[in-house]
Amino acid sequence: MVVSETKPNPVGESKPRLDAREKVTGAAIFGDDIQFGNALLHARILRSPHPHARIISIDTRQAEALPGVKAVVTGKGFPGYIGLYLLDRHIFCRDRVRYVGDPVAGVAAISEAIAEDALELIEVEYEILKPVIDPEYGVSSEATLIHPELDQYQVASFILPQPNSNISNYFKIRKGDVDSAWDNCAAIVERKYRIPHIQHVPIEPHVAVAQVDASGGITLWGSSQSPFAQRNLIAQALGISQSDMRVIAPYVGGGFGSKAGVSMESLAVAIATKVKGRPVKLLLTREEEFFTAFVRQGLIAYFKMGCDGDGNLLAMENKFYWDSGAYTEYGVNITRASGYSSSGPYEVPNVKTDSYCVYTNHPVGGPMRGVGMPEMHAGLEQCIDELAQQIGMDQVEFRRINCVKEGSILVTGGKMHPTGLLQCLEKTAEAIGWGHKAEASAANKRRGKGLALMWKAPAMPPNAGSSAWVELAEDGRVTVGVGGQDLGQGSFTVAAQMAAAALGVPYEWVRVATPLDTRYSPYEWQTVASRLTWSMGNAVVNAAKDARQQILEMTAEAWDEDLENLDILNGMVVSYKSEREIPLENIVIYGLPKADDQGWIGGPVIGRGKFMPDYVTGLDPETGQGERAVVHYTTGAQAVELEVDLDTGQIEILRGAAAFDVGKAINPELVRAQIEGGFVQGMSSALFESLNLKDGYVQNPSFVDYRIATSSDVPGGIQSIIVEVPQDDGPWGARGVGEHSMVPTIPAIANAIYDAVGVRFDGPPFTAEKVYLTMLEAGIVK
């Protein structure tokens, strides 16, 4: 079918309104009027109204002729591919569109209203293609190929796309002999779960301003978790040097993964190349935010697991179909991460896993807090509960027997490092009052408790690096340069704490250089994977130690003392031998005089530091086995107590408890804030959130129809428990915890619902309507 479109698709029963606008502003983010003045141009994007179609022609002449329009851009001038692990998309579509919202053309004009008007003048002729809207169907030979050229794409060496298919990555685990183990099982559980797409919904929408100078140098200001990745990927797509691409990233107003990598930023850059000297601003509307920015992948998961009569897990067989959307530059690694973590935090001798990353004609899947682990654990931890119940064993005891401990053989064949998971389990069970059932608050309510374990490794390449610098001013005060972003999680605070402790100065003396600027900030891979405290932290410590060493060596020479007798305490260089002391003031810039006025020693002190793990090994593509698949795992447990209203199905979370092994809590209050925030976000995804898709069209692209948890939904008490079993290569033994507290919430709530009313579901959200109808079908209510 061939159709022509001359304006964005209007709202209908099954199609979102692409031209509707909810009032949002990005002026506060960049101070547009002050920084850019009247030179600022406003960009708007013409997006595909179809889930899957071939582009026959694009006519932009009428739009170009509209007064106030300065540029109209299509994919014609941008043939390069862009992507993190898999380069599978153009900046603007060239030959076909692959989801509703795919960028087809861009307009820059003197006002946003004129840019909107210009979009309606662009004529696009499409040939409609059959969409793929189910990932399980998408792997079949009957499904339309969404990327026929998949075998020609550039891809990371550890990603395994399957040519002539919709499978952009296929990850396998083959540990032991699963088939022969089933006969030895006293109990077996088999279940299928469907986890929906959800949106990150940061309060600050995506926004970017791009400007190209007369020499071709590009500056991009963006709300970004990944300024260095954006520099690299956009430069590659444009065929320019990374040194000609500069990214400046101020504080981010919420990210949760949605502002990692490149989504809309490259559009602003591409448009800006056509209006050299003029800054171009692109701001997503709230509606666009729901389906044109990254979404969390959907998942269809099959679990089969068995144990013996004593509760020992014997076998597990999993199959994951990840609905990663139209482009899977991030989805391929999420698929891999779910594969190498597919046993959950349990030692299982026989495991078979098939994890597929599948192209569909849905919005683009990207990283979201937990990176595949909340989706995978949602079903796995319910099956663990069911298995324990089948053999009549307490669910906490069952987990105590099977959870990974130091030396456990992991699903990839390596050994587990020291972990406090067992402590997390026991402390969480105690905190929630496991084994003691309280009375419901009313006759029409039922009360239940549920618990779930989790583990998560940083999902990253084996060589993701961090760097930092430490510079001292004349008065001894310290500036720390980092490339990792602060999203509200407190990474700048922790960086300052680490620098102060490693250097030997008060915390109040330290500030972090902001905003992040790829021209001046030290390199950081990305602010994802809960890795900054560990990786960037190591770089900061190394930089501070380097500066410290310079100061002590200078002082040792000037004082004619042995280095081992010197220290820096509270901003003073002290000698334990001679008891001399001198403040850092001035000496860190001007140095110290030699004896008898024979010159000077030292000079301006700038410390450098870097960190990159060098021990992660490859995995066999057929078995997933290898010596060390990941840098480490953060482990934890979470429990909830809730009530179910029998008359309405309404769920009320009464209280929560959670314990996580963070290695070392550099800032305990920030750790507790992450535990609590992750619990609430996990609760929101469990009870309310679902991006409803029908035939490839998002049905609820606004807060009117997309419900998220608010302060009124938060339980009265969330007990946050910190467990500390040091990580061997973490700064002071620390490892990350930013994402982990969202991972076990869905199954903990699902298990508590079952404990209360005896029903289970094939996936979240556990809305009041769904709960009530399920109870009605089960005969629990009439």
Side-chain angles (χ1 to χ4, degrees):
M1 178 190 300
V2 177
V3 296
S4 294
E5 298 287 345
T6 57
K7 61 181 179 179
N9 190 65
V11 71
E13 292 185 0
S14 64
K15 299 182 181 181
R17 185 174 59 209
L18 296 179
D19 58 346
R21 299 190 53 76
E22 296 181 28
K23 183 64 177 175
V24 291
T25 175
I29 300 172
F30 299 112
D32 298 339
D33 293 339
I34 298 173
Q35 185 167 356
F36 301 112
N38 293 331
L40 183 70
L41 298 177
H42 298 268
R44 296 298 300 142
I45 305 301
L46 180 69
R47 300 183 179 276
S48 167
H50 306 294
H52 197 194
R54 184 172 287 110
I55 298 174
I56 304 301
S57 65
I58 304 176
D59 188 341
T60 62
R61 288 173 295 178
Q62 291 186 63
E64 292 167 350
L66 185 68
V69 170
K70 300 301 180 182
V72 180
V73 177
T74 67
K76 183 178 180 180
F78 301 96
Y81 285 92
I82 196 166
L84 186 64
Y85 299 101
L86 173 67
L87 281 69
D88 64 354
R89 63 184 169 101
H90 298 291
I91 295 176
F92 284 97
C93 299
R94 288 171 60 83
D95 57 344
R96 69 170 72 191
V97 294
R98 295 177 170 92
Y99 72 101
V100 175
D102 220 352
V104 175
V107 172
I110 60 174
S111 73
E112 200 165 5
I114 293 174
E116 287 279 3
D117 290 342
L119 294 185
E120 299 192 12
L121 299 177
I122 299 174
E123 297 183 359
V124 184
E125 186 178 4
Y126 297 97
E127 177 189 352
I128 304 301
L129 302 174
K130 183 179 180 181
V132 175
I133 57 176
D134 180 273
E136 196 169 3
Y137 170 75
V139 304
S140 70
S141 58
E142 291 81 18
T144 304
L145 290 184
I146 298 174
H147 289 263
E149 61 278 22
L150 174 59
D151 61 340
Q152 302 172 29
Y153 293 156
Q154 293 183 44
V155 62
S157 61
F158 50 85
I159 302 301
L160 304 172
Q162 306 297 296
N164 301 311
S165 78
N166 288 318
I167 302 170
S168 56
N169 190 25
Y170 177 24
F171 185 88
K172 305 176 191 176
I173 288 289
R174 300 292 186 266
K175 177 189 178 188
D177 187 351
V178 170
D179 293 335
S180 64
W182 300 121
D183 290 340
N184 299 319
C185 293
I188 297 174
V189 169
E190 289 189 72
R191 293 289 180 266
K192 175 184 178 182
Y193 297 93
R194 185 180 288 269
I195 313 300
H197 295 80
I198 65 174
Q199 236 303 325
H200 308 69
V201 290
I203 295 301
E204 174 204 46
H206 282 69
V207 59
V209 177
Q211 186 174 23
V212 180
D213 63 29
S215 66
I218 299 171
T219 301
L220 170 66
W221 294 262
S223 180
S224 172
Q225 297 178 226
S226 309
F228 287 92
Q230 289 181 349
R231 177 187 69 175
N232 182 42
L233 299 179
I234 296 175
Q236 284 183 343
L238 296 178
I240 65 173
S241 168
Q242 285 84 350
S243 65
D244 290 328
M245 179 78 205
R246 179 185 182 190
V247 180
I248 300 173
Y251 284 108
V252 174
F256 313 110
S258 71
K259 293 171 182 173
V262 177
S263 55
M264 52 75 80
E265 298 81 10
S266 58
L267 301 174
V269 172
I271 297 170
T273 63
K274 304 302 181 183
V275 286
K276 285 187 177 181
R278 301 289 295 269
V280 176
K281 176 182 176 182
L282 177 61
L283 170 68
L284 294 191
T285 67
R286 178 56 64 184
E287 184 179 18
E288 286 177 311
E289 191 76 29
F290 272 98
F291 62 96
T292 70
F294 287 139
V295 301
R296 191 176 80 176
Q297 281 85 352
L299 172 65
I300 296 175
Y302 291 87
F303 294 96
K304 181 180 181 181
M305 60 183 70
C307 67
D308 63 20
D310 296 324
N312 298 294
L313 280 168
L314 297 182
M316 190 177 290
E317 184 172 351
N318 307 325
K319 190 169 287 188
F320 304 142
Y321 297 97
W322 291 93
D323 185 343
S324 293
Y327 306 98
T328 64
E329 55 165 303
Y330 259 105
V332 289
N333 198 44
I334 293 169
T335 299
R336 185 173 187 269
S338 67
Y340 62 60
S341 302
S342 58
S343 65
Y346 302 101
E347 183 171 12
V348 188
N350 304 288
V351 181
K352 177 182 179 182
T353 299
D354 294 288
S355 186
Y356 301 94
C357 186
V358 187
Y359 284 119
T360 66
N361 295 112
H362 281 157
V364 180
M368 185 175 179
R369 193 176 194 173
V371 190
M373 295 301 101
E375 303 95 289
M376 187 200 76
H377 283 73
L380 187 146
E381 279 295 298
Q382 291 187 69
C383 291
I384 291 291
D385 248 36
E386 289 195 66
L387 205 54
Q389 290 159 356
Q390 276 199 27
I391 63 170
M393 180 178 285
D394 176 78
Q395 297 97 309
V396 169
E397 179 61 25
F398 188 88
R399 288 178 168 87
R400 183 181 288 114
I401 291 171
N402 291 288
C403 71
V404 291
K405 306 165 183 73
E406 182 179 359
S408 292
I409 304 301
L410 303 180
V411 67
T412 53
K415 289 186 178 180
M416 184 65 182
H417 56 74
T419 177
L421 179 57
L422 190 57
Q423 296 179 48
C424 294
L425 171 63
E426 293 170 344
K427 290 177 181 292
T428 301
E430 180 183 3
I432 206 68
W434 190 264
H436 304 283
K437 191 147 187 173
E439 291 294 324
S441 62
N444 67 327
K445 295 185 178 181
R446 297 291 182 269
R447 185 171 293 203
K449 294 177 181 177
L451 182 143
L453 299 187
M454 64 73 60
W455 71 344
K456 182 191 177 298
M460 65 185 205
N463 59 340
S466 300
S467 59
W469 50 256
V470 169
E471 184 176 18
L472 287 90
E474 287 86 347
D475 60 359
R477 268 49 177 180
V478 181
T479 301
V480 177
V482 296
Q485 184 62 280
D486 198 314
L487 314 175
Q489 83 279 39
S491 61
F492 290 169
T493 300
V494 169
Q497 286 183 267
M498 289 183 175
L503 183 57
V505 301
Y507 165 75
E508 293 78 12
W509 286 19
V510 183
R511 67 179 61 186
V512 175
T514 60
L516 300 187
D517 186 332
T518 58
R519 180 171 292 178
Y520 305 111
S521 301
Y523 176 83
E524 180 63 56
W525 177 62
Q526 292 189 85
T527 303
V528 297
S530 301
R531 54 182 289 281
L532 288 195
T533 296
W534 164 75
S535 182
M536 188 180 81
N538 271 320
V540 168
V541 169
N542 290 337
K545 286 181 176 179
D546 182 39
R548 176 188 177 87
Q549 185 73 9
Q550 295 175 44
I551 295 168
L552 294 180
E553 286 178 351
M554 170 185 67
T555 309
E557 183 179 349
W559 289 357
D560 192 23
E561 294 204 32
D562 292 333
L563 194 65
E564 57 266 24
N565 293 327
L566 301 181
D567 202 352
I568 303 177
L569 299 173
N570 203 34
M572 300 282 290
V573 182
V574 300
S575 169
Y576 294 120
K577 182 178 180 180
S578 65
E579 298 186 0
R580 295 176 68 179
E581 65 179 29
I582 188 171
L584 295 180
E585 185 176 359
N586 291 327
I587 70 169
V588 294
I589 294 294
Y590 304 118
L592 286 169
K594 293 181 180 179
D596 302 323
D597 198 24
Q598 295 301 303
W600 289 78
I601 305 166
V605 174
I606 300 177
R608 299 185 307 165
K610 65 178 182 177
F611 176 77
M612 185 184 79
D614 57 6
Y615 45 74
V616 176
T617 61
L619 301 177
D620 186 288
E622 295 302 318
T623 66
Q625 300 301 289
E627 184 178 347
R628 187 163 181 176
V630 299
V631 292
H632 59 251
Y633 280 97
T634 295
T635 59
Q638 198 172 87
V640 299
E641 184 174 21
L642 55 74
E643 282 189 340
V644 180
D645 189 315
L646 298 180
D647 295 333
T648 65
Q650 187 75 32
I651 293 172
E652 180 183 3
I653 308 295
L654 302 175
R655 61 188 179 120
F660 292 90
D661 175 15
V662 302
K664 173 65 178 178
I666 303 298
N667 188 312
E669 288 307 307
L670 288 179
V671 170
R672 292 188 183 96
Q674 288 299 304
I675 293 175
E676 294 169 5
F679 181 96
V680 173
Q681 194 169 17
M683 180 187 74
S684 185
S685 69
L687 299 182
F688 308 122
E689 294 187 51
S690 175
L691 202 61
N692 299 327
L693 287 149
K694 182 179 180 182
D695 299 327
Y697 297 89
V698 175
Q699 303 297 296
N700 55 336
S702 79
F703 286 128
V704 173
D705 300 306
Y706 188 96
R707 170 92 151 86
I708 62 173
T710 66
S711 58
S712 63
D713 301 301
V714 177
I718 302 173
Q719 187 171 350
S720 302
I721 303 165
I722 297 173
V723 173
E724 297 177 311
V725 175
Q727 182 63 36
D728 60 353
D729 65 345
W732 292 277
R735 65 175 77 88
V737 73
E739 300 169 274
H740 306 80
S741 51
M742 186 177 174
V743 172
T745 316
I746 292 174
I749 289 175
N751 289 336
I753 294 172
Y754 183 83
D755 184 51
V757 293
V759 297
R760 290 198 179 273
F761 312 89
D762 65 356
F766 313 129
T767 61
E769 179 184 22
K770 182 186 289 187
V771 173
Y772 181 81
L773 292 176
T774 304
M775 291 191 299
L776 188 65
E777 184 179 350
I780 296 169
V781 298
K782 298 181 180 179

